[in-house]
Amino acid sequence: MDWIKLLQTLTKPAGVSGSEMPIAETVKALLLPLCDTVEIRHGNVIGSIGTRTPSKPHILLDAHMDQVGFLVTAITDEGFVRVGNVGGMDWRLMPAQRVVLHGTEDVSGMICCVPPHLQNGEEHVLSVIELAIDTGYSKEELEKRITLGDSVSFDLPIQELKNGRITGASLDDRCGMAAILYALELVQGKTLPCTVSVLFSTQEEVGERGAAIGAFEIMPDFALAVDVTFAQGHGDDPVKCGKLGGGPMIGISSSLSRSVSNAFIELAQQYEIPWQPEVMPGMTGTNADRFSVTRCGVSAGTISIPLRYMHTPSELIQLSDVEQTGRLLAVGLEHSTWDRYEPSSEHGMRGI
């Protein structure tokens, strides 16, 4: 697997929540060789493998396509573009960021900032109502290219760092999509004891909306949200974070199926796949929260990739974590009766 090439392909298309069609078309093409059928429905990309029968469990693998960004709210008389945020942002990082406005054509821009020489020694963190984008165009020129409601994404392509690390925008959750694609490659040509649906979902950053629609339609027996989680960085609390290079983080939560969590812990140990626990006492903040209450209920779990600097233009991951996540997903599909796993003294968990 050429991880750099794959992640460059996945992170290049824009996909701010509610405007995911560019990434949807890209990933549909990537799924076509790996699935029996692939469709775009209600914005979601849904692939299927196998003919569904009552004798086999039906498994849903999900990763969300959308990314945080902005929507255009106004164009000022001076030619600056005002925006509102889509998803959670760290406002400390916004000044001087490069962005792309997606109108009738892509327009490059820069978030305005005040030079330190003009700040009179006062520190001020911009709020969304103060953000403006400078494109170089006049108002009249912009109105030919940009419409109110157009999306705006960060303009920071993937950059390779040392020791198998990369940084860039929208790795949340394009790296989860990459892990699922790798898992599907690993099980190609194998007879699986399950049927599979792949859901690349929309609007996760604004309330897991695509996941709710997709899971209701697919009606899986088991559903797994493949997302990112916090990786420990400088000054971060290790209790709240995973480690880069430590492998996928298996979710353990009061809102998840303990059987699914047990299954993946057992499989990771059996196949010597490095893994880390991610304990979430309440909700998970992922699409799994929607899956578990779909229709009459679905056994849901999470597998998460450690990521630093979440919801910034410079997210950072370790490629080995993406690869090991894909391996664990593939093993999970090959041993798909996840409800048969009971608590084991080896990992010290107690089932619910």
Side-chain angles (χ1 to χ4, degrees), residues 279-314:
V279 179
M280 298 164 281
M283 306 297 281
T284 71
T286 72
N287 283 339
D289 295 336
R290 294 285 189 157
F291 298 151
S292 60
V293 294
T294 294
R295 291 185 180 266
C296 296
V298 174
S299 295
T302 62
I303 304 290
S304 298
I305 298 166
L307 174 143
R308 287 180 181 164
Y309 322 128
M310 191 180 296
H311 286 197
T312 75
S314 302

